[in-house]
Amino acid sequence: MIKKENLLLIAAFVWFTAGIILLLRGLMSYNAPFVTLFGKMLIGILAGSLFYFFMFRKIVKTHTQRILSMTDEYQKMYRFFNKRSYILMGAMITLGISIRLLGIVPITYLSVFYVVMGIPLIFSGFQFVINRLSGK
């Protein structure tokens, strides 16, 4: 059991790690000249930033409020997510692996998507740390 505030650090680690994995997978999947690579990266970073500001920021806030409003001071480590979030995460991972293995989407597009999804996850990881340090 850990203090409920420290669940924010576990969430930060999980989200940041997932973001780094996706970002690296996306970067290593690029198979294009530098100019095209730069353009795809720019699109990925811009779109990922928009995803963070319009969607992921709200999700981080919701999880932070849920964690900090828990009545017991000490919680089990897995409580950084609720049941719905675990189901959603499992579904997204399964869908992502299936799309990649089945070749439904060409890797040139999939690599941009990896960057687009990696950026907001990394930003969210940082936001969880900031929330923990500020006590929000």
Side-chain angles (χ1 to χ4, degrees), residues 56-72:
F56 279 70
R57 198 167 57 157
K58 182 180 175 187
I59 294 169
V60 170
K61 183 178 179 181
T62 301
H63 278 295
T64 299
Q65 290 172 341
R66 180 184 56 77
I67 289 168
L68 295 180
S69 68
M70 292 174 170
T71 55
D72 294 332

Side-chain angles (χ1 to χ4, degrees), residues 24-96:
L24 291 176
R25 182 175 296 278
L27 294 175
M28 292 174 11
S29 299
Y30 283 124
N31 189 11
F34 178 75
V35 173
T36 306
L37 174 66
F38 181 76
K40 286 182 177 183
M41 279 294 301
L42 188 59
I43 290 168
I45 291 170
L46 290 174
S49 297
L50 289 173
F51 259 100
Y52 172 75
F53 286 110
F54 291 111
M55 192 170 88
F56 279 70
R57 198 167 57 157
K58 182 180 175 187
I59 294 169
V60 170
K61 183 178 179 181
T62 301
H63 278 295
T64 299
Q65 290 172 341
R66 180 184 56 77
I67 289 168
L68 295 180
S69 68
M70 292 174 170
T71 55
D72 294 332
E73 186 65 25
Y74 288 89
Q75 297 288 329
K76 295 180 180 172
M77 289 178 61
Y78 64 82
R79 300 274 325 263
F80 72 93
F81 265 172
N82 55 18
K83 188 189 308 186
R84 179 177 168 249
S85 297
Y86 277 111
I87 292 169
L88 184 61
M89 181 176 63
M92 289 187 330
I93 290 170
T94 301
L95 181 64

